[in-house]
Amino acid sequence: MRIIPLCVSLILAATSSIANPFTVDELRSAVIARDFDAVRSGLNQAQQAFLDGKRPADDIRDLFIALSRSAPETVALVEDWLARDPDNPKAQIARAWSLYEAARHVRSAGNGYSAQVANNMLTRTDVLASAAYSSEPYLIPASDALVRGVGRVR
């Protein structure tokens, strides 16, 4: 009879030690709150879960897609995060994807000035993506950026 309480205790201990995955909604909340620590720790936890085989690559992509959006609070947080922590590969690749998305919209204006601005943004994208990949090659958004050539000026 003592074995049942022991089994229940072990199961509860095991399930409570499994961290809940960092979600896109939690990331958005941290961005709105400008909680740099929550963004950094959540992305680090998500990346570690991916490396441990406990989280799919697409979950990591989804988090960084959320950071690439043009919402003013998102752009500001990503810019400020990179300024605060310029050697952080997650901040680098978040800014690279943000710049890439912005460059696509700028270029769509279809004039010479917008093309030049977009090219400058893409050059910066390439530098940031390369730096992120060099520091953390298993970071899916960094390898995706290099494979897709997001910083290449066209």
Side-chain angles (χ1 to χ4, degrees):
M1 291 309 270
R2 285 201 245 162
I3 193 133
I4 292 174
L6 177 62
C7 288
V8 170
S9 296
L10 289 174
I11 290 170
L12 290 175
T15 57
S16 69
S17 68
I18 298 171
N20 291 329
F22 188 58
T23 66
V24 170
D25 287 340
E26 290 170 324
L27 175 61
R28 285 187 189 121
S29 294
V31 167
I32 290 167
R34 292 190 55 81
D35 188 344
F36 292 94
D37 290 334
V39 170
R40 187 180 312 108
S41 67
L43 291 174
N44 285 341
Q45 176 249 340
Q47 177 67 14
Q48 190 57 54
F50 165 72
L51 293 174
D52 293 342
K54 297 176 182 172
R55 192 161 189 171
D58 282 343
D59 280 6
I60 306 303
R61 288 183 179 102
D62 290 345
L63 292 168
F64 281 87
I65 287 169
L67 290 174
S68 73
R69 298 303 180 218
S70 61
E73 63 273 5
T74 304
V75 172
L77 179 118
V78 169
E79 286 177 340
D80 294 346
W81 183 23
L82 182 62
R84 288 176 177 212
D85 197 0
D87 296 324
N88 183 315
K90 291 174 185 73
Q92 292 168 337
I93 201 59
R95 183 63 179 140
W97 279 107
S98 176
L99 282 169
Y100 173 74
E101 290 297 326
R104 289 180 50 226
H105 294 291
V106 169
R107 177 169 281 165
S108 70
N111 61 57
Y113 178 73
S114 65
Q116 182 59 44
V117 170
N119 287 345
N120 290 342
M121 295 168 87
L122 290 172
T123 298
R124 180 76 175 132
T125 296
D126 185 50
V127 169
L128 290 168
S130 295
Y133 182 79
S134 293
S135 295
E136 200 169 331
Y138 296 107
L139 182 59
I140 292 297
S143 60
D144 285 352
L146 292 186
V147 168
R148 290 183 57 191
V150 297
R152 291 194 193 113
V153 176
R154 294 167 177 79

